[in-house]
Amino acid sequence: MKPLPRTNHSEDLSLLSRRTVLKSAAAAGATLAVSDLLSACGSESDSDVEVPRSNAPFPLPLQLEGELSGNLRTFKLSMQKGTMEWIAGRPTDTFGINGNYLGPTLRFNRGERVRLEVHNGLGEISTLHWHGIQLPAQSDGGPYQTIDPGATWVTEYDIVQRALMAWYHPHHMHETGRQVYMGMAGLIYIDDKSQEVELPSEYGVNDIPLVIQDRRFNSDGTHVYSTGDISSQNDRMAGVKGKTILVNGAVGPELRVLKGLTRFRILNGSNARNYNLGFSDNRAFQYIGNEGGLFENAIDSTRVLLSPGERADILVDFTGAASTTSIRLQSYSGEVHAELFSGRMGSNLSDAYDQSTFDIMTLQVAEDVGQVISPPKEFAAITPMLETAAVRTRTLELSMARGDVFINGAQMLDTTSVSQAISFNIPAGDTEIWTLTNSSGMAHPVHIHHRHFQILDIDGAQPPAYLRGWKDTVLVRPNQVIRVLLKFEGTTDPNFPYMFHCHILEHEDAGMMGQFYIV
Ligand code: C2O
Ligand code: CU
Ligand code: CU
């Protein structure tokens, strides 16, 4: 085997960002293919400046393995203020975890217990939620576990799930959208040593994490959330979207990939934008997993649709690609526009990017051949949950009206008085069917904390293969009816609930959220 290339193992994001700036200054003449379309459309605000794709080196989030003592793994996380220079000479105020922007990838092992020590240096109240992790409600890091400025929140829980990729981000009432946009998010890999599958697994070499986010910058480097809170009605309803696409915090970075198999673990970490991912040469890849880990079978695919909060695990084979070929990862958003937005409301809520194809990052195929890996086509069986196991059905009706967003006609606007329409007590061990309906003109990604679910049916039909695994977030299109099965296992706690909500963060902040207690 040839020596493996080093992909910025030891560099931190702040270091890389300075290089990004140098490169982006050099590339300042370049424009995105869609820029003409955007200006022709005229629907973008003047403040959404075109930050040139920089072909910056690919920023790899640091891995954090914590300190192991016995079976307890301790992580120290510091929420801090920072700056980034996405536009040369115009620094942007940011938030990050152990750095200027985003946070490290936490490595958890199934069967271990983790201890998180989270220090809040943001100068404002925040929380840290472990999205996709099954844990006791008091450890959830939702709106009930606020961390005061200067304080340290310490929580511990057991890792009981199979191998998967989760993520973490703040969840403070009305502030989630802003704090995430400022940079608060990071990945979690759960590894399961007892169930290893032959897959590319060298972090940053052939196992590559991608956090995709869109941002809307003003020409002075500020953005709508770095200067305060969003005020426009359209931003509240459509969610904050922009035309600069970041991957791991860099604008359109360039990643060198080896000939052979590369595994991409992808998070849509955007506040509101959906991505319909594919490659510029339309190459086929294997779609192998989602929020809940590996599927039963690899799925041959050319597209992956990811709504905010959803994750995908894909295997791409670059063996046949000529060296120095450059392949772009793109979003073919136009292909799904009609399904995701409907009617007049839908067209007002979508932007030019939602209607077109745009670039996300560049993959440069290297001369070198990577490790030879032959992954199986079949993975562990996923036992289907049975409709007959359900003891009751609940409905979550998603709606938008009068410039507001609702679940069951209600809104969660504080933690002290939550309408019974969106606050449930569920006996531990019960299985329920939740029927998700959407009467609005846009699709909403519904996320449920703590327990992963299975999709029973979509408009009465069996879900497609890629929606058959374990999910924690599902996109509900206009007029769709999706029934999911959930088993409410876990520690009972009459004092602390778990959340469910739309993962368009502006919708969540506007009250499109509810809660359940396991009792
Ligand atoms: Cu990703 Cu309730 O959160
Ligand atoms: Cu969550
Ligand atoms: Cu929504």
Side-chain angles (χ1 to χ4, degrees), residues 391-457:
V391 296
R392 68 187 71 79
T393 295
R394 288 176 208 277
T395 301
L396 304 188
E397 285 175 25
L398 312 170
S399 67
M400 299 171 83
R402 304 176 300 279
D404 258 313
V405 284
F406 304 90
I407 298 177
N408 295 345
Q411 294 181 318
M412 181 166 172
L413 298 173
D414 57 60
T415 52
T416 51
S417 57
V418 185
S419 158
Q420 289 307 299
I422 47 170
S423 183
F424 314 137
N425 288 311
I426 302 174
D430 279 7
T431 298
E432 299 192 348
I433 295 171
W434 284 19
T435 304
L436 316 174
T437 69
N438 179 3
S439 63
S440 76
M442 68 184 284
H444 300 271
V446 173
H447 167 52
I448 302 171
H449 285 206
H450 179 53
R451 288 291 290 174
H452 283 78
F453 52 82
Q454 287 184 7
I455 298 176
L456 184 56
D457 49 31

Side-chain angles (χ1 to χ4, degrees), residues 382-386 432 434 451-457 463 467-471 482-487:
I382 295 176
T383 313
M385 294 177 71
L386 297 177
E432 299 192 348
W434 284 19
R451 288 291 290 174
H452 283 78
F453 52 82
Q454 287 184 7
I455 298 176
L456 184 56
D457 49 31
L467 292 177
R468 273 179 224 154
W470 292 104
K471 302 263 313 154
I482 300 186
R483 294 197 306 154
V484 305
L485 276 162
L486 280 150
K487 187 166 169 40

Side-chain angles (χ1 to χ4, degrees), residues 129-132 447 449:
H129 164 60
W130 322 101
H131 177 137
H447 167 52
H449 285 206

Side-chain angles (χ1 to χ4, degrees), residues 284-321:
F285 51 84
Q286 292 184 50
Y287 192 176
I288 60 169
N290 64 353
E291 297 96 88
L294 296 175
F295 297 139
E296 267 189 1
N297 300 298
I299 303 166
D300 291 315
S301 190
T302 55
R303 294 286 183 273
V304 167
L305 176 64
L306 280 188
S307 66
E310 283 187 302
R311 282 90 74 200
D313 198 337
I314 66 170
L315 286 179
V316 191
D317 191 352
F318 296 106
T319 306

Side-chain angles (χ1 to χ4, degrees), residues 129 131 167 169 171 309 447 449 499 501 503 505 508 513:
H129 164 60
H131 177 137
W167 62 302
H169 62 77
H171 215 302
H447 167 52
H449 285 206
M499 304 294 119
H501 54 90
H503 221 287
L505 299 181
E508 174 190 334
M513 177 158 73

Side-chain angles (χ1 to χ4, degrees), residues 274-280 282 301-305 330-341 352-358 477:
N274 302 301
Y275 301 92
N276 187 33
L277 302 172
F279 294 96
S280 51
N282 255 317
S301 190
T302 55
R303 294 286 183 273
V304 167
L305 176 64
Q330 298 184 305
S331 177
Y332 292 85
S333 295
E335 293 175 358
V336 292
H337 178 260
E339 321 170 13
L340 303 186
F341 298 93
Y353 270 39
D354 291 321
Q355 298 163 32
S356 59
T357 297
F358 56 88
R477 292 163 173 72

